[in-house]
Amino acid sequence: MAVDAEQQNSPKESPARGGTISYGIDDNPPWYFCIMMALQHYLTMIGAIVSIPFILTPALCMRDEDPARGTIISTMIFVTGLITFLQTTWGCRLPLVQGGTISFLVPTLAILSLPRWKCPSDELIDAMSDAERTELWQVRMRELSGAIAVAAVSQLVLGFSGLVGKLLRIVTPLTIAPTVALVGITLFRHASETASKQWGIAVGTTAMLTLFSQLMANVSCPAVVYRGSGHGLRVAWFPLFKLFPVLLTIAIMWTLCGILTATGVFPEGHPARTDVRLRVLQDAAWFRVPYPGQFGLPTVSLAGVLGMLAGVIACTVESISYYPTIAQMCGAPPPPLHAINRGIGVEGLGTVLAGLWGAGNGTNTFGENVGAIGVTRVGSRRVIQWAAAIMVLQGVLSKFGAIFIMVPDPVVGGIFCVMFGMITAFGLGALQYVDLRSSRNLYILGVSFFFPLVLCLWLQEHPGAIRTGSETVDSTLSVLLGTTILVGGVLGCVLDNLIPGTDEERGLVAWSKEMALDVGQQSEHAAERSTFDFPYGSALMRRWKWTRHVPFLPTYKMKL
């Protein structure tokens, strides 16, 4: 893992792309370094993956000690590994992790809050048999699975047909800001509930992650390495805290919780104990391959599909906004239009598969792993491919996944405080392109942020307020209007395209440069071709003229 100071890859200055990187997108670090960095990405992703069932399973009427929670997590991670490898190799080819997303939790919770899906009382659940309790949550999972899979078809068509490129005209920074930021803001209560189970551990986790990733990022640590025959052992220096802040934080805080558990500081049943979910580990199978329809045949309803469309829209907008940021972080050129089309199409395919597999969630670009690239300055595609292999392996070896399910709740809560905040901040980061001195822009921003929070809170407190005479219409409107990211994104999009403003004022000039919308010019550069081409077959495609008109092929020449 350590790299000799004299021979390590020196940081690469990329003035045009705005940063200093240790490994660029096309670089292949040593295999042992790849494994360590891949493990960190895995643990970064695990925090987000585990957080989803922590919020989802209570809404599914599943008990905390139910071993099926581990099955859901393993399924999520298995699908995450498959789609991440497909995305980095044949999709947009950026070093991003593609997996379960909290963006789908907002419409999911809106759907499960409908009267027909609300959980019965604890007394009724306790009186049920094991088979009845299993069917109780599986029938809700089948409803979510069908809604997710059907809604994601629109994203798949949007990407591979090239329509997403056309939508870039109306998906502006003032659309992205409320859509993405409201994801983190809406879920702040869940972060509070998890962190409040032991504030000392939660605050310590947040503080330690801040210390390692921000204050000690430039501190190098010594390590003894073997340089091969004739060179022997020697001391090498490497930026430990910059490369592995999340890994170190989880390891240290988990160990601390283990010590406090062993010494009896945390009493039996305390959520900060490391053995509180020991049954999940004991009951987990050693080897289990997730498969489509494992919880039964998915069901489909109009309210569910339209509600999940809000998650699809949010994920599409979020991923579009992530692509140029990731490219800049890893020293790559701005992503061309064919890579954006292909990336969104593969993301839609991943969400369809996640629905069919019964993950209870869709797939999206992990903002947490984008943050990990920004912190570590390692943007190698190969590292993420190694991480995908670890995810697939873990999804099959259920015992391995169950170990990480045992991460104490307050540690997860501390990660929530950072990760949800980073997602909110990333959404606000889209405002760098717009003129914030403009009263027009401030008006749009204020309304698209504040109104969704007011409306959705009121609907949560008055679940039967919408009465049109049709139960289907009532359910559909309740889900749509109760989803903050949809209401905020639509408001931002409509107001920004309706209220007069110059292109510079709206941020369209700077945004178009980041998105590299003129793919006809960009494709002439060899660097872009080598970065965003398919690993095989691109040279052959350039011999055929018809491939220039296929929106998701690297030879695509058409302009917006």
Side-chain angles (χ1 to χ4, degrees), residues 376-553:
T376 63
R377 305 295 191 268
V378 176
S380 171
R381 183 189 299 116
R382 184 61 56 84
V383 169
I384 304 300
Q385 290 171 336
W386 275 86
I390 294 176
M391 295 171 201
V392 171
L393 180 64
Q394 186 278 308
V396 174
L397 302 176
S398 300
K399 285 284 188 185
F400 183 70
I403 293 175
F404 292 100
I405 298 172
M406 297 177 65
V407 175
D409 288 359
V411 176
V412 177
I415 297 294
F416 277 178
C417 292
V418 175
M419 299 308 180
F420 290 176
M422 288 295 292
I423 292 174
T424 301
F426 179 79
L428 297 176
L431 298 176
Q432 64 183 295
Y433 303 105
V434 306
D435 183 3
L436 290 179
R437 296 169 298 180
S438 166
S439 59
R440 167 199 181 274
N441 292 343
L442 293 177
Y443 179 87
I444 294 172
L445 188 63
V447 172
S448 59
F449 264 100
F450 194 76
F451 182 76
L453 294 173
V454 173
L455 176 63
C456 296
L457 178 61
W458 183 80
L459 285 174
Q460 290 173 8
E461 296 176 348
H462 303 82
I466 299 179
R467 297 178 182 176
T468 63
S470 171
E471 183 179 349
T472 301
V473 175
D474 293 348
S475 300
T476 302
L477 290 177
S478 296
V479 172
L480 295 179
L481 297 179
T483 307
T484 53
I485 55 178
L486 177 64
V487 178
V490 169
L491 269 178
C493 182
V494 170
L495 293 177
D496 190 34
N497 287 279
L498 184 64
I499 300 175
T502 65
D503 288 349
E504 290 81 2
E505 184 182 16
R506 298 172 61 195
L508 300 185
V509 175
W511 179 241
S512 65
K513 293 178 181 178
E514 282 298 318
M515 295 307 295
L517 299 184
D518 191 351
V519 295
Q521 293 180 5
Q522 189 183 43
S523 61
E524 298 300 322
H525 301 296
E528 285 85 345
R529 290 204 303 268
S530 63
T531 295
F532 296 104
D533 271 3
F534 288 148
Y536 309 102
S538 294
L540 181 61
M541 290 180 190
R542 288 192 169 86
R543 300 179 184 176
W544 301 329
K545 292 184 179 180
W546 62 268
T547 61
R548 300 178 183 180
H549 305 288
V550 182
F552 57 86
L553 294 181

Side-chain angles (χ1 to χ4, degrees), residues 365-382:
T365 302
F366 265 131
E368 294 87 343
N369 292 85
V370 174
I373 292 175
V375 169
T376 63
R377 305 295 191 268
V378 176
S380 171
R381 183 189 299 116
R382 184 61 56 84

Side-chain angles (χ1 to χ4, degrees), residues 35-46:
I35 291 177
M36 292 302 297
M37 287 302 302
L39 182 60
Q40 175 167 264
H41 275 285
Y42 170 80
L43 289 176
T44 302
M45 176 274 306
I46 266 292

Side-chain angles (χ1 to χ4, degrees), residues 41-362:
H41 275 285
Y42 170 80
L43 289 176
T44 302
M45 176 274 306
I46 266 292
I49 285 287
V50 171
S51 71
I52 294 171
F54 271 70
I55 300 172
L56 174 63
T57 51
L60 288 174
C61 313
M62 182 188 293
R63 292 181 168 183
D64 289 344
E65 67 273 12
D66 194 325
R69 176 186 283 187
T71 302
I72 293 175
I73 292 177
S74 294
T75 300
M76 286 183 178
I77 297 174
F78 182 81
V79 175
T80 294
L82 291 179
I83 302 306
T84 296
F85 184 82
L86 182 62
Q87 186 74 279
T88 54
T89 306
W90 295 97
C92 67
R93 289 184 54 76
L94 288 168
L96 54 86
V97 174
Q98 193 83 46
T101 169
I102 60 175
S103 296
F104 273 94
L105 279 177
V106 181
T108 293
L109 295 175
I111 292 171
L112 294 178
S113 66
L114 295 175
R116 65 175 296 195
W117 296 121
K118 281 194 173 181
C119 296
S121 64
D122 292 339
E123 291 77 11
L124 288 176
I125 295 178
D126 291 338
M128 292 179 179
S129 65
D130 290 342
E132 289 173 333
R133 281 194 289 267
T134 299
E135 178 61 19
L136 183 67
W137 70 263
Q138 286 192 357
V139 68
R140 288 160 173 77
M141 178 63 82
R142 292 194 291 269
E143 174 72 10
L144 295 180
S145 297
I148 290 169
V150 174
V153 173
S154 63
Q155 189 180 29
L156 193 151
V157 173
L158 197 66
F160 288 126
S161 68
L163 288 176
V164 68
K166 309 299 181 183
L167 292 178
L168 289 178
R169 291 182 179 274
I170 62 173
V171 179
T172 63
L174 284 174
T175 302
I176 293 170
T179 303
V180 178
L182 281 171
V183 172
I185 293 175
T186 303
L187 296 173
F188 81 93
R189 290 183 178 178
H190 298 285
S192 175
E193 290 171 2
T194 310
S196 62
K197 293 181 178 181
Q198 219 297 324
W199 276 112
I201 297 296
V203 172
T205 301
T206 301
M208 189 163 294
L209 185 55
T210 302
L211 175 67
F212 291 159
S213 66
Q214 304 300 318
L215 300 179
M216 300 180 66
N218 296 321
V219 177
S220 294
C221 298
V224 178
V225 297
Y226 180 67
R227 300 299 299 172
S229 178
H231 296 280
L233 298 175
R234 61 186 305 175
V235 176
W237 294 78
F238 68 104
L240 173 67
F241 302 105
K242 183 174 76 172
L243 296 177
F244 306 109
V246 179
L247 182 62
L248 289 171
T249 298
I250 293 177
I252 292 174
M253 297 308 297
W254 199 351
T255 301
L256 176 60
C257 288
I259 295 173
L260 296 177
T261 298
T263 56
V265 175
F266 293 147
E268 289 290 334
H270 193 283
R273 288 180 65 95
T274 54
D275 60 359
V276 72
R277 282 186 292 273
L278 186 60
R279 180 184 169 187
V280 176
L281 178 63
Q282 294 171 340
D283 294 344
W286 280 102
F287 183 85
R288 183 183 185 278
V289 179
Y291 57 92
Q294 58 184 332
F295 303 129
L297 187 66
T299 58
V300 179
S301 67
L302 179 62
V305 171
L306 293 181
M308 286 303 175
L309 276 174
V312 169
I313 293 170
C315 289
T316 301
V317 172
E318 191 174 352
S319 289
I320 288 174
S321 59
Y322 275 133
Y323 290 167
T325 302
I326 298 172
Q328 187 175 33
M329 283 180 176
C330 59
L337 192 56
H338 66 78
I340 297 173
N341 291 337
R342 200 163 58 246
I344 297 301
V346 170
E347 182 173 314
L349 175 62
T351 298
V352 171
L353 295 179
L356 296 178
W357 248 269
N361 203 262

Side-chain angles (χ1 to χ4, degrees), residues 7-22:
Q7 299 185 13
Q8 69 178 355
N9 284 19
S10 59
K12 301 170 185 178
E13 294 291 342
S14 182
R17 303 300 297 142
T20 301
I21 57 175
S22 301

